[in-house]
Amino acid sequence: MRLTVLGCAGSFPGPDSACSAYLVEADGFRLLIDFGSGSLSALQRYAGLHAVDAILLTHLHCDHMLDACTYIVVRRYAPQGPLPSLPVYAPAGAHDRIAAAYSSEPEAVDDVYTFYGLQPGTFPIGPFTVTVDRVNHPVETYGVRLEWQKRVVAYSSDTAPCDALIRLAHGADLFLCEASYLDGVENPPDLHLTGREAGEIATKAGVGKLLLTHLVTAWGSEATTFEEAESAFDGPIEIVRPGARYEL
Ligand SMILES: [Zn+2]
């Protein structure tokens, strides 16, 4: 199983990174998890324009899904003819949200995407066993656990601390966890994690490696976020970068 970070900027694109998008591959199958602003560019740079067999959108905030709109052009108007419909696993309302953002005169996008509504539970996508559960964010949002041949990648999506995330990340080899906020300031509740909170969850879940993502670098500090995470988790920690690949 291979994880490639396409975009990891929190909340809005940064100077050096698109918003959230992660490509997970196994047995030749390519699952794109989130498709945030700017990440279609990164998909071409680090994988390929058509290098997607299924999409999972953890929630419908712009920085996690907006390039699913621009990608309609790629699939529908390909010079060689329309590409096969892609399965999209997403919260309820994804079709209408994508259609509305795609055009000022919304039209159906069912020719490009086949939608499957997410609900807490376990189901297969390609070779992966996928478990999703609701996490603590203002809109319907799912944390993700991906298993393939006893290897596990867990992803927080956007969330404040919650027990569901500890369960999803339990024993994960790689735990891709958001760390949007810094400690010691008045952060809005039920929205995001600090580096320390990401570290605490990693410790409670007993993960192998903590990958910090979704930092809002324009407003925060990578060094401080890293130190906060280190104060709460003894294992290896990395702040992810676009193009970073992890094999497991
Ligand atoms: Zn969000």
Side-chain angles (χ1 to χ4, degrees), residues 59 61 63-64 137 158 192:
H59 66 302
H61 277 157
D63 61 318
H64 290 254
H137 201 54
D158 286 1
H192 288 297

Side-chain angles (χ1 to χ4, degrees), residues 1-243:
M1 171 154 59
R2 182 165 81 169
L3 164 68
T4 303
V5 176
L6 300 180
C8 52
S11 302
F12 52 86
D16 302 314
S17 179
C19 287
S20 298
Y22 309 95
L23 193 66
V24 187
E25 300 167 79
D27 300 339
F29 187 92
R30 300 155 301 187
L31 173 63
L32 179 60
I33 302 182
D34 285 341
F35 208 172
S37 326
S39 60
L40 179 51
S41 173
L43 177 67
Q44 295 170 78
R45 175 182 288 239
Y46 300 116
L49 187 57
H50 305 135
V52 180
D53 298 302
I55 297 172
L56 191 160
L57 301 177
T58 59
H59 66 302
L60 300 178
H61 277 157
C62 291
D63 61 318
H64 290 254
M65 53 68 70
L66 212 53
D67 277 16
C69 308
T70 39
Y71 200 47
I72 290 168
V73 175
V74 174
R75 310 283 308 185
R76 181 183 280 167
Y77 301 111
Q80 66 273 36
L83 296 166
S85 182
L86 268 185
V88 176
Y89 300 82
H95 174 278
D96 292 353
R97 177 99 166 88
I98 289 170
Y102 174 66
S103 171
S104 57
E105 293 171 23
E107 54 188 273
V109 298
D110 298 292
D111 58 319
V112 176
Y113 297 130
T114 304
F115 290 91
Y116 300 91
L118 286 176
Q119 287 184 342
T122 299
F123 54 95
I125 301 179
F128 303 109
T129 300
V130 182
T131 301
V132 299
D133 203 353
R134 289 286 295 271
V135 290
N136 186 3
H137 201 54
V139 300
E140 184 180 350
T141 302
Y142 293 87
V144 183
R145 179 185 179 90
L146 277 187
E147 299 181 46
W148 176 82
Q149 295 192 1
K150 299 192 175 161
R151 318 267 160 79
V152 178
V153 174
Y155 169 45
S156 64
S157 184
D158 286 1
T159 185
C162 62
D163 289 343
L165 183 55
I166 299 169
R167 289 193 299 271
L168 287 167
H170 180 75
D173 300 285
L174 291 178
F175 177 35
L176 186 60
C177 187
E178 74 124 291
S180 306
Y181 288 153
L182 295 178
D183 262 339
V185 286
E186 194 98 341
N187 294 311
D190 301 320
L191 200 60
H192 288 297
L193 298 170
T194 66
R196 178 183 53 76
E197 289 167 336
E200 286 170 356
I201 292 165
T203 296
K204 285 179 187 163
V207 307
K209 183 169 188 171
L210 173 59
L211 301 177
L212 297 171
T213 190
H214 203 279
L215 277 68
V216 188
T217 45
W219 293 344
S221 158
E222 282 193 3
T224 306
T225 300
F226 190 88
E227 282 166 21
E228 287 179 4
E230 248 186 340
S231 74
F233 179 62
D234 284 339
I237 303 172
E238 246 181 70
I239 295 177
V240 300
R241 310 279 174 208

